[in-house]
Amino acid sequence: MSEREAFVDACWEEAKKPWGFVQLRRPVVYWDPEAARQAMGTQLAFFNFVEKNTLVNYPALEARGAGEYLVELLSHEIGHHMAIPADPPSDALLLHAAYRGLGLYELPEDDERLARGHREAVFWVNLFADVIVNTVLYRAGLRMVPFYQKLTAGEGSPLWRLYLRTLELLWELPPETLASALSTRLERDARRLAEVFRHLRGKRDWPEGMALFARICHPYWPAGEGPWLSLLDYQGRANYRRGGRPGSDPGQGGSQHPGPRGPAPVREGPSRRRTLDKREERPEEEGPGGLAEHIDSPADYRRLLRGLGFAAAEEAEVRYYRDLARRFAVRPASAEGQKGEEHPEAAARWEPGDPPEELDLLATLTTGGVILPGITTLRRESVTAAARGRGREAPWLVLALDASGSMPNPKRKRSYAVLAAFILAEAAFDAGAPVAAVVFSGDYESTGFTREREAVASLLVRYPGRDTYFPAAEVLRLCRAAPRPPYLCVISDAALHNAGEALEGLAQAARATCGGTLYFIYHPRRTPPPDIQRLLEKVSALGYRVCAVTGEEDLQRLSLATARELYGQE
């Protein structure tokens, strides 16, 4: 082992101590100035979410007289993995909060200010995380004060002084230890920021604190890039899905073409990197799991995905409702299906050398957050339905969804009717049962029975927005098309324009199904209006389970109960 390698290893071990048990790759330290410049521009360091390692520009660190503080620098980057943001979904949630703080969701989707606003939001997320990480390291006894005194020599922009004064207040340092020449306004804003951080009690408070932080700091956003920007590692997380290469535009991934911070990294040795580069344009790439529940509008979700560079941004509504429905996933019961048919079963480890088409990208990103071949990568095993075990058969599902003008537009506002439909459909698919979906308004569209999730999901987010006409003949046709009696679920506004035709069609469908549940939605009242009450009674008399829904959470709860009853474990 060379002297340099021994030095890095010793620093790395010390850097890990404030964070407890750390599982990260050994840092990549560039010693040659030209190689460092090619790989990182003028940045000192950044953390790579995809590869779970840290890159360090040691010549740039030494040029600032801070070469002896490699421990502090490495520990700071470890903190981004261990504390904040810790993983890509948390990073995306903080970015969403920064969007809110900057008012980016209020801009038209084609506004040119969105691209600049995204870059600013990414910057504030990094700075917010840096304050938290640096405070942990200061309290752990690391040499953060002399480290920053070395780094900040000659740096005097208002934003940088605001940042340093905030650290002084949080660390209870004497004035002018880190920052000097403060205006009254800057001192006031630094105290406001310090109060924001003092009121953070844990991860749950971060999004609200992030929004306030971005709002307070926005007036200090520099018109151009000052030299002090190289002290931050925000370029390393600007696009975590592609590894956050310096010099890449936000949302576009790494590029070998020079960017605002220099060319993409050039490695000094052979790379073991395996990412999504060869599958960059796959439309099925998902956004970060668990993000949708924090965003009320699918339109805002789409905007955020575009900023993060996901190819699925154009299909964001489907991703949005699928992400929401994932919270209510039903564990399927063992069931005997038709012989010879293959269904997706439990996830298994995908190893390098396995066929690339077997890699389950969604399961990998949802469970692990990063792609490490042979470690976090998963695949779905296909087995014959006859081998799945004994138990009741999962019924085929006919799903009829009202998309009339009285229902919320699922592309603009969270629609609990569409979410309920996704919960039911996903439960059926997970159990290996085909689904036939029909979306109706003045007219209707349907899929026929299929096991193609995308076909059904794409239909469920359609929104004709016309009158409420129930497609009785099409629902009856679908029920009769199944090889065995299916289960019928209807989610609709109770104010049907063709109630008589609907009742007749439901009566005939009742003889072709193994059961059914109808969710009728009406405005909250103590009791349904007389005409709606009569309709509910007549439908109930046909043998259907009737659920009168007055609240959005009720629809979510009731659909989940039905999904569990039909497809869950007994």
Side-chain angles (χ1 to χ4, degrees):
M1 179 183 293
S2 69
E3 184 177 338
R4 283 179 173 177
E5 289 177 333
F7 172 63
V8 171
D9 285 347
C11 291
W12 183 241
E13 292 304 314
E14 286 297 315
K16 292 190 290 185
K17 288 181 179 179
W19 302 109
F21 181 66
V22 175
Q23 282 188 306
L24 293 175
R25 296 180 180 180
R26 185 178 182 274
V28 177
V29 179
Y30 291 94
W31 302 98
D32 179 70
E34 181 59 25
R37 188 190 67 79
Q38 288 289 324
M40 303 179 65
T42 59
Q43 283 185 272
L44 294 181
F46 70 81
F47 180 83
N48 188 314
F49 265 131
V50 173
E51 296 190 358
K52 303 192 78 172
N53 70 354
T54 296
L55 275 66
V56 176
N57 183 342
Y58 193 80
L61 184 67
E62 202 166 36
R64 291 180 174 269
E68 62 183 295
Y69 295 98
L70 183 59
V71 170
E72 283 71 20
L73 184 63
L74 291 175
S75 196
H76 173 93
E77 298 304 325
I78 292 172
H80 285 312
H81 168 70
M82 298 298 294
I84 179 170
D87 52 53
S90 298
D91 198 26
L93 181 56
L94 289 172
L95 188 62
H96 163 59
Y99 269 45
R100 288 193 295 108
L102 297 174
L104 298 184
Y105 290 130
E106 300 169 12
L107 297 175
E109 287 197 51
D110 58 352
D111 196 307
E112 63 180 12
R113 290 174 292 176
L114 280 175
R116 296 196 304 269
H118 173 78
R119 289 192 291 271
E120 181 182 350
V122 170
F123 180 90
W124 297 135
V125 169
N126 192 98
L127 202 62
F128 180 84
D130 283 352
V131 172
I132 293 176
V133 169
N134 288 334
T135 300
V136 171
L137 297 181
Y138 173 77
R139 291 172 179 168
L142 270 68
R143 303 167 298 171
M144 301 307 292
V145 173
F147 179 43
Y148 266 88
Q149 287 173 334
K150 290 281 189 181
L151 291 181
T152 59
E155 306 291 356
S157 73
L159 176 53
W160 192 239
R161 282 180 283 144
L162 175 69
Y163 172 61
L164 295 178
R165 178 57 180 153
T166 302
L167 294 182
E168 283 183 349
L169 293 168
L170 289 174
W171 301 352
E172 299 179 346
L173 300 175
E176 300 192 4
T177 301
L178 297 174
S180 59
L182 305 178
S183 66
T184 303
R185 176 191 174 190
L186 197 149
E187 176 69 21
R188 180 196 66 209
D189 288 340
R191 291 186 178 277
R192 291 172 64 195
L193 290 177
E195 283 303 305
V196 169
F197 286 101
R198 289 191 184 109
H199 283 85
L200 299 179
R201 293 293 180 264
K203 192 172 182 178
R204 290 184 178 181
D205 296 335
W206 288 352
E208 204 58 41
M210 179 69 252
L212 290 171
F213 182 85
R215 195 173 301 134
I216 295 170
C217 289
H218 174 66
Y220 296 89
W221 176 245
E225 292 192 357
W228 58 271
L229 288 177
S230 62
L231 303 180
L232 300 172
D233 54 0
Y234 83 106
Q235 295 277 352
R237 302 206 328 277
N239 185 356
Y240 57 77
R241 191 173 64 98
R242 301 283 180 244
R245 300 176 179 178
S248 61
D249 293 330
Q252 299 302 319
S255 170
Q256 293 299 323
H257 301 289
R261 303 297 296 158
V266 177
R267 294 180 177 275
E268 294 180 316
S271 171
R272 296 191 298 270
R273 178 184 176 90
R274 294 179 62 88
T275 63
L276 305 177
D277 293 342
K278 294 182 180 179
R279 315 176 80 182
E280 187 147 346
E281 300 303 321
R282 283 187 58 183
E284 67 268 29
E285 287 180 351
E286 302 274 349
L291 181 60
E293 65 180 288
H294 301 283
I295 303 178
D296 293 332
S297 166
D300 292 346
Y301 182 80
R302 178 175 60 250
R303 187 173 302 185
L304 188 60
L305 284 191
R306 283 176 178 168
L308 290 169
F310 282 91
E314 295 303 323
E315 303 173 2
E317 294 84 8
V318 169
R319 312 305 172 194
Y320 178 79
Y321 288 103
R322 181 168 290 152
D323 190 24
L324 288 174
R326 197 173 291 125
R327 296 176 55 213
F328 308 100
V330 174
R331 186 175 182 182
S334 302
E336 291 182 347
Q338 296 178 1
K339 287 187 177 181
E341 287 194 28
E342 291 191 346
H343 301 284
E345 189 66 356
R349 186 72 59 200
W350 184 92
E351 300 287 349
D354 288 343
E357 60 271 17
E358 291 185 7
L359 174 63
D360 190 329
L361 180 62
L362 174 59
T364 299
L365 292 176
T366 302
T367 57
V370 294
I371 299 176
L372 299 176
I375 301 175
T376 65
T377 45
L378 300 175
R379 61 183 172 86
R380 291 284 180 179
E381 292 183 322
S382 292
V383 297
T384 59
R388 296 183 67 195
R390 299 177 181 177
R392 56 190 175 85
E393 283 189 7
W396 291 27
L397 179 66
V398 176
L399 186 57
L401 176 65
D402 182 356
S404 63
S406 58
M407 306 288 282
N409 186 337
K411 296 186 178 183
R412 296 181 180 177
K413 179 183 178 182
R414 181 181 298 181
S415 168
Y416 283 84
V418 172
L419 174 56
F422 266 80
I423 291 172
L424 290 162
E426 290 294 312
F429 286 132
D430 288 344
V435 175
V438 53
V439 169
F440 61 92
S441 182
D443 202 348
Y444 67 84
E445 293 182 72
S446 63
T447 62
F449 282 104
T450 180
R451 289 189 174 89
E452 294 293 329
R453 294 176 189 254
E454 290 301 320
V456 172
S458 297
L459 180 62
L460 294 179
V461 297
R462 301 270 178 88
Y463 186 72
R466 297 190 290 271
D467 294 332
T468 311
Y469 285 92
F470 183 75
E474 177 64 8
V475 170
L476 179 59
R477 184 189 72 80
L478 292 172
C479 290
R480 289 174 172 172
R484 57 180 185 270
Y487 195 89
L488 173 62
C489 283
V490 178
I491 303 172
S492 175
D493 190 318
L496 297 175
H497 287 276
N498 61 337
E501 179 185 347
L503 283 171
E504 182 179 348
L506 289 171
Q508 296 182 57
R511 295 190 287 272
T513 62
C514 64
T517 300
L518 283 79
Y519 306 95
F520 282 115
I521 306 167
Y522 62 91
H523 295 294
R525 298 187 181 185
R526 290 181 178 274
T527 58
D531 57 334
I532 294 181
Q533 183 64 46
R534 287 192 296 270
L535 174 63
L536 300 184
E537 291 173 354
K538 290 179 181 179
V539 173
S540 181
L542 297 175
Y544 293 103
R545 178 189 301 163
V546 176
C547 299
V549 180
T550 60
E552 295 171 335
E553 292 184 359
D554 288 341
L555 184 56
Q556 177 181 291
R557 176 179 54 81
L558 292 169
S559 63
L560 178 59
T562 301
R564 285 174 173 166
E565 179 183 346
L566 294 176
Y567 305 110
Q569 291 186 342
E570 295 180 333

